[in-house]
Amino acid sequence: MRSNSKHYLKGTTYLRSLDEGYGIDVIYLDYRKAFDTVAHQRLIKKLQQIGFGGNLIKWLSSFLTDRSMRVTINGSRSSWVNVLSGVPQGSVLGPLLFLLFVNDLPDWIKTNIRMFADDTKIWTRISGVNDSEALQQDLDSLSRWSEEWLLRFNQNKCKVMHIRHQFSTQYTIRQDDKDWILQEVEEERDLGIVTTADFKVSRQCAEVASKANKVLGMVSRQFKDLDKEGFLIIYKGYVRPHLEYAIQAWSPYLKGDVNHLEKVQRRATRLVKGFKKLQYEERLRRLGLTTLQQRRLRGDLIETYKILTGKEKVDRNDFFKLQTRNFHNTRGHSYKLETTRSRLELRRNFFSQRVTSHWNKLSEKVVQAETVNTFKNRLDNEWGTLSSCLTLRLTTTSTSTSKSFSTFISVLPNTESGSFSVAIDGHFLPVGQQGIYVM
């Protein structure tokens, strides 16, 4: 899992508060030329406060100070200028020194804060107008921090998003001896993910699909006879990553969004020479691919395994709660998760909620895998291989619009237990009593 995915997923407390009926105010903060304006002497002071000393602090001081720079354009060069602030960009130490410089920000905050490199956001739940006072006090504290450490916020890029409440809340930030009212937004890009006030992922789906389609357009113009091997290299390396960037954080659940992404893969697989007239499921079978929905479910299970077994550097209690096993409850495996009720659909379809039922169906042999690769292999064997997957295509025609709609029903056998799983358009159905699948 990418670091930004972990950061985004740790915001599950957003959804918990929303599920409990509260609103949320989130403030997105932006530094003014963050990496270029870190004051050297103040950075050295912070490093000393942390515990750096001796030859190490002397070496770091020498690394930062007495630097100079000039600009070269078309062979013409400016005069040399001393660099009095900023961490050296392009270096290994630069980002680390910046993180150490802002590491004390949470000490100034009483509500909630999330930080990732130079991206910072603070938030609180809102049940009334007075709840915004704590968030405003935190903004005032951050303004004082900014003045003390000479790392300014860009007041024109600091924004607030009001989520699922109707209270009139407004926030100001003090910069350059002036109070600035924060701009209110309905949409914001948070670590590369488009976040909206209704928490739906349609905008994110549309954006990544557009990026992937642009790459496909370039591929189709440059490669007229694309064989299977060449296609797989290009598709897996340059197209599919757009559709799966930080996907655990925004996996679509509305059918329109799911189809929006799937259409990209449908279009892509037609680029292979001789594949254009084949049915989609046949193209997938020949290429050794699955639907994107199936890949997302598989990815969810892999991430769950990594979190529960400590292979991801996150606290598993932030996401899951293991069931307490007793003498009377012996069904399932040793990593079986508790199922929690959710009032809102958006929380029911969040990573930690949507994966629970699928995870609990796995066998003990799968979840007890020693390595990630072993888990993947055992999971694939339990689900059944693509060659043993029976896929049916059902087509219906609307009497009002005369448009045809296709649904793919897949049956994946479990080679060890003798049972099978059923998926509709790549979405696995929950099993009801006596093995009856719930539609």
Side-chain angles (χ1 to χ4, degrees):
M1 186 189 296
R2 291 175 178 264
S3 297
N4 51 353
S5 298
K6 298 176 190 176
H7 173 90
Y8 202 93
L9 286 176
K10 286 181 180 179
T12 52
T13 43
Y14 278 8
L15 297 180
R16 192 174 299 118
S17 296
L18 293 174
D19 203 51
E20 292 170 355
Y22 298 100
I24 299 289
D25 273 353
V26 184
I27 295 177
Y28 297 91
L29 299 170
D30 186 87
Y31 297 107
R32 190 184 303 171
K33 297 182 179 179
F35 292 95
D36 294 328
T37 56
V38 174
H40 289 163
Q41 294 305 315
R42 281 171 168 75
L43 174 55
I44 295 299
K45 180 181 177 181
K46 278 204 173 185
L47 294 176
Q48 291 173 331
Q49 290 175 350
I50 293 172
F52 287 70
N55 290 332
L56 178 58
I57 198 69
K58 292 179 181 178
W59 186 90
L60 288 171
S61 178
S62 176
F63 176 72
L64 291 169
T65 57
D66 295 328
R67 287 178 173 269
S68 58
M69 63 178 292
R70 67 180 178 183
V71 178
T72 301
I73 300 178
N74 295 329
S76 300
R77 298 175 178 176
S78 68
S79 57
W80 289 99
V81 177
N82 291 329
V83 178
L84 303 177
S85 65
V87 292
Q89 297 188 46
S91 64
V92 175
L93 275 180
L96 176 60
L97 291 173
F98 179 82
L99 291 177
L100 292 173
F101 189 72
V102 300
N103 193 51
D104 64 333
L105 267 183
D107 299 337
W108 294 66
I109 297 297
K110 294 182 179 178
T111 54
N112 306 279
I113 186 170
R114 291 290 177 197
M115 302 168 59
F116 186 86
D118 61 336
D119 289 310
T120 302
K121 59 177 178 280
I122 59 176
W123 67 275
T124 191
R125 67 185 191 181
I126 303 293
S127 58
V129 178
N130 293 336
D131 290 337
S132 65
E133 294 178 0
L135 203 55
Q136 181 60 59
Q137 290 172 4
D138 283 346
L139 270 178
D140 295 338
S141 296
L142 291 179
S143 296
R144 291 193 297 272
W145 181 93
S146 172
E147 292 290 333
E148 179 177 344
W149 295 103
L150 302 182
L151 187 63
R152 310 294 187 186
F153 291 106
N154 187 340
Q155 64 274 2
N156 296 319
K157 292 186 178 180
C158 293
K159 304 170 185 176
V160 59
M161 183 183 292
H162 307 297
I163 302 174
R164 291 189 174 235
H165 73 80
Q166 301 299 321
F167 300 106
S168 180
T169 55
Q170 189 179 74
Y171 302 93
T172 61
I173 187 169
R174 188 166 187 80
Q175 292 288 286
D176 303 325
D177 298 323
K178 182 179 178 181
D179 290 329
W180 302 80
I181 297 176
L182 296 189
Q183 176 188 355
E184 298 180 2
V185 295
E186 293 291 319
E187 177 181 307
E188 180 67 11
R189 185 177 299 279
D190 188 3
L191 299 180
I193 300 173
V194 178
T195 304
T196 57
D198 60 8
F199 261 73
K200 292 183 179 178
V201 298
S202 299
R203 279 283 296 112
Q204 172 70 9
C205 290
E207 180 158 312
V208 299
S210 175
K211 289 180 179 178
N213 277 321
K214 288 178 181 178
V215 177
L216 285 178
M218 181 186 66
V219 172
S220 64
R221 290 190 296 271
Q222 299 297 325
F223 299 90
K224 298 303 180 183
D225 293 316
L226 194 59
D227 60 19
K228 186 172 75 171
E229 290 73 20
F231 167 80
L232 288 174
I233 292 173
I234 295 172
Y235 178 68
K236 291 180 179 181
Y238 298 99
V239 180
R240 195 167 66 184
H242 286 295
L243 305 174
E244 297 182 339
Y245 170 79
I247 190 63
Q248 270 71 42
W250 59 272
S251 183
Y253 58 91
L254 297 176
K255 189 159 187 175
D257 295 334
V258 172
N259 290 339
H260 202 157
L261 298 186
E262 203 68 45
K263 284 179 182 177
V264 179
Q265 184 165 268
R266 288 174 183 272
R267 178 192 173 193
T269 53
R270 291 193 184 99
L271 296 178
V272 182
K273 185 177 181 180
F275 277 32
K276 194 167 186 179
K277 294 183 179 181
L278 297 177
Q279 297 293 341
Y280 178 49
E281 60 273 22
E282 177 62 18
R283 298 199 297 271
L284 292 181
R285 189 188 68 80
R286 293 192 184 188
L287 291 168
L289 300 175
T290 65
T291 65
L292 294 175
Q293 183 78 0
Q294 287 172 319
R295 272 186 59 82
R296 289 192 290 271
L297 174 57
R298 183 175 182 269
D300 283 351
L301 292 172
I302 293 170
E303 291 304 333
T304 302
Y305 165 79
K306 290 160 73 174
I307 290 172
L308 291 177
T309 56
K311 292 178 174 58
E312 289 281 15
K313 294 182 180 180
V314 296
D315 184 355
R316 71 182 186 185
N317 294 318
D318 288 341
F319 301 93
F320 307 112
K321 183 178 180 181
L322 293 176
Q323 283 190 6
T324 302
R325 305 192 74 183
N326 54 54
F327 177 78
H328 299 287
N329 182 20
T330 58
R331 298 183 63 184
H333 51 72
S334 54
Y335 281 108
K336 198 168 184 181
L337 303 175
E338 282 196 7
T339 303
T340 57
R341 292 183 177 274
S342 301
R343 182 177 63 89
L344 299 177
E345 183 180 33
L346 64 89
R347 185 166 187 241
R348 287 196 297 271
N349 288 280
F350 192 72
F351 166 68
S352 57
Q353 306 295 312
R354 68 176 181 258
V355 75
T356 301
S357 61
H358 300 293
W359 173 264
N360 287 344
K361 293 176 193 174
L362 299 179
S363 67
E364 182 76 17
K365 181 179 179 181
V366 174
V367 303
Q368 288 294 341
E370 296 81 11
T371 65
V372 175
N373 284 334
T374 302
F375 175 84
K376 292 178 182 179
N377 292 332
R378 292 180 181 178
L379 175 63
D380 292 339
N381 289 335
E382 183 162 302
W383 275 1
T385 60
L386 283 172
S387 60
S388 61
C389 171
L390 173 64
T391 302
L392 306 176
R393 179 180 184 180
L394 301 182
T395 302
T396 57
T397 303
S398 171
T399 55
S400 58
T401 63
S402 298
K403 292 183 178 180
S404 297
F405 302 89
S406 296
T407 298
F408 295 96
I409 302 178
S410 301
V411 181
L412 289 85
N414 184 324
T415 55
E416 294 187 1
S417 65
S419 62
F420 56 87
S421 300
V422 175
I424 294 182
D425 287 337
H427 180 70
F428 284 84
L429 299 180
V431 182
Q433 293 181 350
Q434 298 178 350
I436 300 174
Y437 281 87
V438 181
M439 301 291 287

